[in-house]
Amino acid sequence: MKQDIRGDHRLICDFITPGSRVLDIGCEDGTLLNHLMGTLNVDGRGIELSQAGVNTCVARGLSVVQGDADLDLSAYPDGAFDYAILSQTLQATKDPKHVLEELLRIGKKAVVSFPNFGHWRNRLQLLTKGRMPVTDYLPYTWYDTPNIHFCTIRDFMELAKEVDAKVLKAEAMNARGKPITINAPWWVWNLIGDQAVFLLERN
């Protein structure tokens, strides 16, 4: 059931066409990939940096290899998948622009989710405490975080333009992982969204 998975995973499932070929990059323990295969009958593959994550995926019967999003996506041919997914991983890559370009090359469409550093609570913590924010979606202190490129929804939209990507769908979510349903301009989503999910394709 969709309600048993993470908020951004629920939206990603809504973006994927049943029976598609899918590559989940940074798939961790394979929860999303396993759900997509079980509910949407996708032909799923995965890449995961940690050996422990790969071992867990393989134990679940998933086709996952160890790899680094910054280095290993070049091994995949153009248009090899219908969807290339990067869930809560873009901010942990060394070169987000290159990784996004590779997603759009490998997949006919790309799905990207990330925590929104522009949320009002993050801004308030910086303003009032003068310290890097720690929240449910950014739970690490500055010195032990795997996130090396914090971005906002507005930042990501600008990056999408820079790599000549078209935004097909986009959703901002609240702290409970529920979509923000108010009809508002992007700057409002950038202020009140805890995270976001984008569906992109090349122009």
Side-chain angles (χ1 to χ4, degrees):
M1 299 291 289
K2 286 185 182 180
Q3 59 266 29
D4 297 327
I5 60 174
R6 208 168 70 194
D8 64 315
H9 286 178
R10 286 196 299 269
L11 283 177
I12 290 170
C13 289
D14 290 340
F15 288 175
I16 302 297
T17 301
S20 301
R21 293 167 297 149
V22 172
L23 179 65
D24 187 3
I25 301 151
C27 61
E28 299 179 318
D29 64 359
T31 297
L32 174 60
L33 188 59
N34 188 62
H35 190 79
L36 287 168
M37 293 175 70
T39 60
L40 298 179
N41 195 33
V42 305
D43 178 4
R45 302 287 185 271
I47 302 174
E48 170 54 33
L49 182 61
S50 75
Q51 186 62 58
V54 174
N55 293 345
T56 300
C57 290
V58 171
R60 299 176 82 164
L62 302 174
S63 179
V64 174
V65 297
Q66 188 169 24
D68 186 328
D70 282 298
L71 302 174
D72 298 323
L73 297 182
S74 60
Y76 292 89
D78 295 0
F81 296 89
D82 296 309
Y83 298 90
I85 300 171
L86 195 70
S87 174
Q88 301 290 340
T89 302
L90 185 68
Q91 72 279 1
T93 62
K94 293 184 177 68
D95 190 345
K97 179 181 178 183
H98 170 72
V99 171
L100 184 56
E101 288 172 332
E102 286 291 87
L103 291 181
L104 292 162
R105 181 187 64 79
I106 295 168
K108 296 175 183 176
K109 294 182 175 68
V111 184
V112 182
S113 70
F114 57 91
N116 175 32
F117 197 70
H119 189 278
W120 69 266
R121 281 193 299 269
N122 298 333
R123 302 184 195 203
L124 185 62
Q125 283 193 39
L126 279 170
L127 179 66
T128 60
K129 298 181 179 179
R131 300 183 64 180
M132 291 296 287
V134 177
T135 68
D136 289 344
Y137 287 99
L138 296 166
Y140 303 96
T141 54
W142 67 270
Y143 54 83
D144 68 354
T145 179
N147 301 320
I148 56 178
H149 289 289
F150 293 104
C151 77
T152 69
I153 292 173
R154 184 173 180 179
D155 287 327
F156 185 81
M157 292 180 67
E158 290 300 318
L159 178 60
K161 290 179 185 176
E162 193 169 334
V163 300
D164 196 28
K166 180 193 301 182
V167 176
L168 300 177
K169 293 182 183 178
E171 296 275 2
M173 288 172 287
N174 63 24
R176 297 182 301 280
K178 302 293 185 183
I180 295 171
T181 56
I182 62 171
N183 187 10
W186 269 107
W187 68 264
V188 176
W189 285 20
N190 196 38
L191 188 63
I192 64 176
D194 284 273
Q195 56 179 326
V197 181
F198 280 76
L199 175 65
L200 309 168
E201 70 176 4
R202 289 166 291 183
N203 275 317

